[in-house]
Amino acid sequence: MSSAKLNGRQLFQKLGNPGRILAPMVDQSELAWRILSRKYGANLAYTPMMHAKLFATSEKYRRDMWCSLDGDEKLDRPLVVQFCANDPEYLLAAAKLVQDKCDAVDLNLGCPQGIARKGHYGSFLMEEWDLIHKLIKNLHDNLDIPVTAKIRVFDDREKTLEYAKMVLDAGAQFLCVHGRVREQKGQKTGLADWEIIKYLRDNLPKDTVFFANGNILYPEDIKRCQEYIGCDGIMSAEGNLYNPGVFNVGKTDDKDQIFPRVDKILREYFEIVKSVPESKASRIAMKSHFFKILRPFLPHHTDIRSEIAQMNVKTPFEDWDTKVVSAVEKVVAEIFAKTDIEELDSITKGSLQLWGGCYQTVPYWRCQPYFRPVNGVTGDKRVAAKLESDAQASDSTGEKKRKAEDEIERETTKPSRK
Ligand SMILES: Cc1cc2nc3c(=O)[nH]c(=O)nc-3n(C[C@H](O)[C@H](O)[C@H](O)COP(=O)(O)O)c2cc1C
């Protein structure tokens, strides 16, 4: 390691101890979304996973995934760039291409998707400790900036601890632990295990910069998780996608900050995408972000849902503006013109749940967490009951809404390359 190179703790301090971390998300944590998420409280962001060999060898791939504004000092820092890899030299070559435009380079050891099995990367390296060690050590020895790693856990906590120690021994300077095993994906995602994350935290050297990942629905959960585990930072993926306000931990009294109005945040995000035309990735991801931001809203306004469904990456911004963004603004303005809006716009907290937090009822014109259905039933019993009563409604509005729910579910949970 060169003498000027920072270790994990020094880097973390230099970045201002950033404890609210936007997760790496394929097709979703691209430049525009990172800019938006930072405005709503994220203070460290990861890029989507990029394929190291392709990044190192294909100019076209690089152009599609990375632009001159990614990692820009004023716009896009602090930033960790994440790669998946199985060849130390390609990983190093890819990392060298970005080392001047980010604060650290991360190795993805968590991707559980079929494409990772085929490509032999992500969580499918979990049994190949020698290879993982080489991948990390080569960056640690030869890169100008620190290397970091994001791992999943094994069922066995002792094995996971040995695994984490190996990753740190190889040179990883931040360790992010996603508290799910490789098999927990899609319908089998289930809850992340904070116990095992805490066990790792308690048993790894105290100066390890340690992030926990999994189960964040509300800003309150970030504080609860950080206190319980005693970690340096909390990473959120899905919680942030459906509600960027989830990182606004210091503003829990301000509902516009923690459950932003969909019309306001959609406009803000749309203007950001337009302001970074260099970023192909931001343009490509926009439709999916629209669906996620508007998830609670679209079942009530199926006309707007149909408009979005017909649009694609080539649809001019003007059409997006008139048919979607302005249309949403108009509908929400009408809602806010109602005389009883104060009552309608209230947020209520449910009772304390076994998982340690409370579900909250949020009006559909505000961003809110999404409860992934398991075998067709969502985790939140209250929401499940609501869906059931909707299903029993025989009027055509109920029918339409249910159909829209199904379609939005398909749109927002299309298999990703995470
Ligand atoms: C759309 C999507 C894409 C993802 N892509 C990546 C990725 O590129 N790299 C990675 O390490 N994890 C990826 N993940 C996993 C998340 O970073 C995170 O570990 C996981 O979703 C658990 O966090 P959560 O409970 O806050 O969602 C992705 C997750 C989602 C929802």
Side-chain angles (χ1 to χ4, degrees):
M1 202 192 328
S2 80
S3 59
K5 187 160 159 178
L6 303 179
N7 69 27
R9 185 56 61 190
Q10 290 165 335
L11 174 65
F12 192 63
Q13 283 166 356
K14 182 185 147 210
L15 299 179
N17 301 318
R20 301 185 297 276
I21 305 153
L22 173 65
M25 288 181 278
V26 166
D27 294 338
Q28 300 287 268
S29 67
E30 74 299 329
L31 179 65
W33 193 256
R34 296 195 294 270
I35 295 173
L36 181 82
S37 297
R38 289 192 187 94
K39 287 190 171 184
Y40 282 82
N43 49 16
L44 176 60
Y46 282 53
T47 66
M49 167 186 86
M50 298 188 283
H51 191 285
K53 182 174 176 187
L54 285 176
F55 197 86
T57 57
S58 159
E59 205 180 318
K60 175 170 181 335
Y61 181 80
R62 269 201 307 277
R63 269 203 316 271
D64 288 348
M65 306 300 286
W66 185 256
C67 76
S68 57
L69 293 177
D70 283 299
D72 182 84
E73 286 286 347
K74 291 203 187 82
L75 212 56
D76 192 27
R77 293 293 186 93
L79 180 70
V80 177
V81 173
Q82 190 191 59
F83 289 108
C84 64
N86 54 29
D87 180 311
E89 289 315 311
Y90 281 126
L91 176 59
L92 179 62
K96 280 193 178 249
L97 291 171
V98 297
Q99 67 180 353
D100 297 331
K101 299 295 294 283
C102 63
D103 299 287
V105 167
D106 187 75
L107 178 64
N108 177 331
L109 293 170
C111 183
Q113 306 295 352
I115 189 166
R117 181 195 294 276
K118 257 201 220 144
H120 187 217
Y121 57 78
S123 67
F124 296 96
L125 300 184
M126 280 172 79
E127 279 74 34
E128 296 181 50
W129 292 17
D130 282 352
L131 175 57
I132 291 177
H133 199 277
K134 281 187 194 131
L135 287 165
I136 296 174
K137 185 151 185 350
N138 200 32
L139 294 195
H140 183 53
D141 288 345
N142 296 303
L143 208 59
D144 292 344
I145 58 173
V147 54
T148 67
K150 177 165 176 276
I151 63 172
R152 281 191 177 235
V153 297
F154 292 97
D155 277 329
D156 177 342
R157 68 182 196 173
E158 292 307 329
K159 183 173 177 188
T160 312
L161 180 60
E162 287 315 304
Y163 176 55
K165 282 182 179 164
M166 178 277 291
V167 166
L168 293 176
D169 176 70
Q173 300 297 311
F174 297 165
L175 181 69
C176 178
V177 182
H178 175 192
R180 291 186 175 94
V181 297
R182 180 167 60 206
E183 290 68 30
Q184 286 182 281
K185 59 173 182 171
Q187 291 240 329
K188 293 194 194 130
T189 298
L191 285 181
D193 181 357
W194 286 4
E195 292 297 328
I196 195 163
I197 305 180
K198 181 173 166 53
Y199 181 73
L200 298 185
R201 171 64 290 186
D202 289 348
N203 288 282
L204 289 171
K206 289 286 160 267
D207 60 348
T208 305
V209 176
F210 189 103
F211 303 151
N213 172 223
N215 299 356
I216 301 300
L217 290 178
Y218 303 105
E220 289 88 339
D221 299 333
I222 292 190
K223 192 161 171 276
R224 203 163 51 81
C225 184
Q226 197 148 11
E227 282 172 5
Y228 181 70
I229 293 172
C231 52
D232 294 288
I234 303 294
M235 175 181 278
S236 169
E238 283 212 312
N240 153 273
L241 278 185
Y242 291 92
N243 178 15
V246 78
F247 286 120
N248 261 331
V249 287
K251 301 190 177 163
T252 45
D253 289 340
D254 182 349
K255 64 183 169 190
D256 287 334
Q257 289 296 320
I258 56 167
F259 300 112
R261 280 171 50 168
V262 293
D263 55 332
K264 303 259 186 217
I265 199 151
L266 197 67
R267 168 65 68 191
E268 205 173 348
Y269 165 62
F270 183 57
E271 295 303 324
I272 294 172
V273 177
K274 287 196 292 178
S275 74
V276 291
E278 295 87 341
S279 174
K280 265 196 188 176
S282 296
R283 187 72 183 79
I284 288 168
M286 194 177 91
K287 178 169 172 173
S288 174
H289 282 303
F290 269 42
F291 266 119
K292 291 190 174 81
I293 289 174
L294 294 173
R295 178 117 205 345
F297 177 88
L298 291 178
H300 299 265
H301 297 283
T302 50
D303 48 336
I304 300 179
R305 189 205 61 76
S306 306
E307 290 291 357
I308 306 179
Q310 284 165 31
M311 292 183 164
N312 61 44
V313 70
K314 292 195 179 128
T315 308
F317 280 129
E318 298 78 57
D319 286 3
W320 281 99
D321 196 335
T322 48
K323 293 181 181 164
V324 183
V325 185
S326 297
V328 171
E329 285 174 332
K330 186 163 171 278
V331 170
V332 182
E334 279 162 14
I335 294 171
F336 274 80
K338 292 184 179 172
T339 48
D340 56 347
I341 184 60
E342 216 160 291
E343 200 186 322
L344 292 175
D345 193 38
S346 58
I347 288 157
T348 43
K349 239 186 208 179
S351 55
L352 190 66
Q353 301 291 311
L354 282 177
W355 49 267
C358 309
Y359 291 116
Q360 303 191 31
T361 311
V362 181
Y364 73 78
W365 48 86
R366 290 187 179 275
C367 292
Q368 51 198 274
Y370 164 60
F371 307 101
R372 182 183 287 280
V374 175
N375 299 327
V377 181
T378 70
D380 177 356
K381 285 201 195 98
R382 183 179 42 71
V383 176
K386 172 87 174 57
L387 288 176
E388 200 172 308
S389 71
D390 281 352
Q392 281 162 3
S394 58
D395 61 296
S396 67
T397 324
E399 277 293 320
K400 256 168 130 183
K401 187 164 169 255
R402 216 162 40 250
K403 198 160 158 248
E405 292 264 10
D406 286 350
E407 281 176 38
I408 294 161
E409 174 61 29
R410 281 199 296 278
E411 285 293 340
T412 51
T413 56
K414 278 183 182 157
S416 77
R417 286 168 279 150
K418 62 175 156 168

